[in-house]
mmCIF file of all heavy atoms in Angstrom:
data_model
loop_
_atom_site.group_PDB
_atom_site.id
_atom_site.type_symbol
_atom_site.label_atom_id
_atom_site.label_comp_id
_atom_site.label_asym_id
_atom_site.label_seq_id
_atom_site.Cartn_x
_atom_site.Cartn_y
_atom_site.Cartn_z
ATOM 1 N N GLN A 452 101.255 114.708 101.329
ATOM 2 C CA GLN A 452 100.630 115.202 100.100
ATOM 3 C C GLN A 452 99.343 115.961 100.401
ATOM 4 O O GLN A 452 99.080 117.032 99.850
ATOM 5 C CB GLN A 452 100.329 114.033 99.166
ATOM 6 C CG GLN A 452 101.564 113.372 98.570
ATOM 7 C CD GLN A 452 101.215 112.158 97.724
ATOM 8 O OE1 GLN A 452 100.079 111.981 97.318
ATOM 9 N NE2 GLN A 452 102.196 111.297 97.487
ATOM 10 N N GLY A 453 98.536 115.404 101.312
ATOM 11 C CA GLY A 453 97.300 116.077 101.691
ATOM 12 C C GLY A 453 97.556 117.415 102.352
ATOM 13 O O GLY A 453 96.809 118.382 102.124
ATOM 14 N N SER A 454 98.605 117.503 103.183
ATOM 15 C CA SER A 454 98.942 118.760 103.841
ATOM 16 C C SER A 454 99.311 119.832 102.823
ATOM 17 O O SER A 454 98.914 121.000 102.956
ATOM 18 C CB SER A 454 100.102 118.544 104.816
ATOM 19 O OG SER A 454 99.770 117.592 105.802
ATOM 20 N N MET A 455 100.073 119.441 101.813
ATOM 21 C CA MET A 455 100.453 120.410 100.773
ATOM 22 C C MET A 455 99.226 120.916 100.020
ATOM 23 O O MET A 455 99.093 122.112 99.742
ATOM 24 C CB MET A 455 101.437 119.753 99.794
ATOM 25 C CG MET A 455 102.794 119.430 100.391
ATOM 26 S SD MET A 455 103.880 118.585 99.193
ATOM 27 C CE MET A 455 105.379 118.446 100.159
ATOM 28 N N ILE A 456 98.325 119.986 99.689
ATOM 29 C CA ILE A 456 97.099 120.380 98.985
ATOM 30 C C ILE A 456 96.235 121.263 99.884
ATOM 31 O O ILE A 456 95.673 122.274 99.446
ATOM 32 C CB ILE A 456 96.308 119.133 98.546
ATOM 33 C CG1 ILE A 456 97.105 118.329 97.522
ATOM 34 C CG2 ILE A 456 94.946 119.521 97.963
ATOM 35 C CD1 ILE A 456 96.507 116.979 97.188
ATOM 36 N N ALA A 457 96.131 120.888 101.178
ATOM 37 C CA ALA A 457 95.293 121.644 102.114
ATOM 38 C C ALA A 457 95.796 123.067 102.300
ATOM 39 O O ALA A 457 95.006 124.015 102.342
ATOM 40 C CB ALA A 457 95.245 120.918 103.461
ATOM 41 N N GLU A 458 97.126 123.237 102.426
ATOM 42 C CA GLU A 458 97.689 124.573 102.616
ATOM 43 C C GLU A 458 97.437 125.472 101.414
ATOM 44 O O GLU A 458 97.324 126.690 101.549
ATOM 45 C CB GLU A 458 99.187 124.467 102.896
ATOM 46 C CG GLU A 458 99.507 123.863 104.267
ATOM 47 C CD GLU A 458 100.989 123.630 104.459
ATOM 48 O OE1 GLU A 458 101.760 123.967 103.518
ATOM 49 O OE2 GLU A 458 101.379 123.119 105.519
ATOM 50 N N ALA A 459 97.340 124.851 100.231
ATOM 51 C CA ALA A 459 97.118 125.648 99.017
ATOM 52 C C ALA A 459 95.636 125.860 98.723
ATOM 53 O O ALA A 459 95.296 126.635 97.825
ATOM 54 C CB ALA A 459 97.779 124.963 97.823
ATOM 55 N N THR A 460 94.771 125.171 99.466
ATOM 56 C CA THR A 460 93.334 125.268 99.154
ATOM 57 C C THR A 460 92.516 125.643 100.392
ATOM 58 O O THR A 460 92.518 126.788 100.814
ATOM 59 C CB THR A 460 92.821 123.941 98.556
ATOM 60 O OG1 THR A 460 93.153 122.854 99.447
ATOM 61 C CG2 THR A 460 93.449 123.677 97.200
ATOM 62 N N THR A 461 91.853 124.666 100.999
ATOM 63 C CA THR A 461 90.834 124.954 102.014
ATOM 64 C C THR A 461 91.346 124.906 103.448
ATOM 65 O O THR A 461 90.599 125.228 104.369
ATOM 66 C CB THR A 461 89.681 123.942 101.877
ATOM 67 O OG1 THR A 461 90.206 122.613 102.004
ATOM 68 C CG2 THR A 461 89.008 124.078 100.514
ATOM 69 N N GLY A 462 92.567 124.468 103.676
ATOM 70 C CA GLY A 462 93.081 124.349 105.036
ATOM 71 C C GLY A 462 93.018 122.920 105.541
ATOM 72 O O GLY A 462 92.229 122.108 105.058
ATOM 73 N N MET A 463 93.832 122.621 106.575
ATOM 74 C CA MET A 463 93.978 121.249 107.066
ATOM 75 C C MET A 463 92.660 120.683 107.589
ATOM 76 O O MET A 463 92.284 119.558 107.269
ATOM 77 C CB MET A 463 95.032 121.219 108.177
ATOM 78 C CG MET A 463 96.440 121.532 107.701
ATOM 79 S SD MET A 463 97.200 120.158 106.806
ATOM 80 C CE MET A 463 97.514 119.021 108.149
ATOM 81 N N GLY A 464 91.973 121.466 108.413
ATOM 82 C CA GLY A 464 90.748 120.964 109.031
ATOM 83 C C GLY A 464 89.701 120.574 108.012
ATOM 84 O O GLY A 464 89.121 119.484 108.064
ATOM 85 N N TYR A 466 90.123 119.955 104.788
ATOM 86 C CA TYR A 466 90.559 118.940 103.825
ATOM 87 C C TYR A 466 90.523 117.546 104.421
ATOM 88 O O TYR A 466 90.082 116.591 103.766
ATOM 89 C CB TYR A 466 91.979 119.252 103.329
ATOM 90 C CG TYR A 466 92.459 118.308 102.257
ATOM 91 C CD1 TYR A 466 92.055 118.450 100.936
ATOM 92 C CD2 TYR A 466 93.306 117.243 102.568
ATOM 93 C CE1 TYR A 466 92.475 117.577 99.943
ATOM 94 C CE2 TYR A 466 93.734 116.362 101.585
ATOM 95 C CZ TYR A 466 93.321 116.536 100.280
ATOM 96 O OH TYR A 466 93.731 115.659 99.310
ATOM 97 N N PHE A 467 90.992 117.398 105.672
ATOM 98 C CA PHE A 467 91.083 116.065 106.266
ATOM 99 C C PHE A 467 89.817 115.646 107.022
ATOM 100 O O PHE A 467 89.589 114.456 107.229
ATOM 101 C CB PHE A 467 92.286 115.982 107.221
ATOM 102 C CG PHE A 467 93.597 115.753 106.522
ATOM 103 C CD1 PHE A 467 94.445 116.815 106.232
ATOM 104 C CD2 PHE A 467 93.988 114.490 106.124
ATOM 105 C CE1 PHE A 467 95.658 116.612 105.585
ATOM 106 C CE2 PHE A 467 95.197 114.267 105.476
ATOM 107 C CZ PHE A 467 96.026 115.334 105.199
#
Side-chain angles (χ1 to χ4, degrees):
Q452 291 176 17
S454 300
M455 292 177 177
I456 295 171
E458 290 174 1
T460 54
T461 57
M463 293 285 288
Y466 184 79
F467 279 97

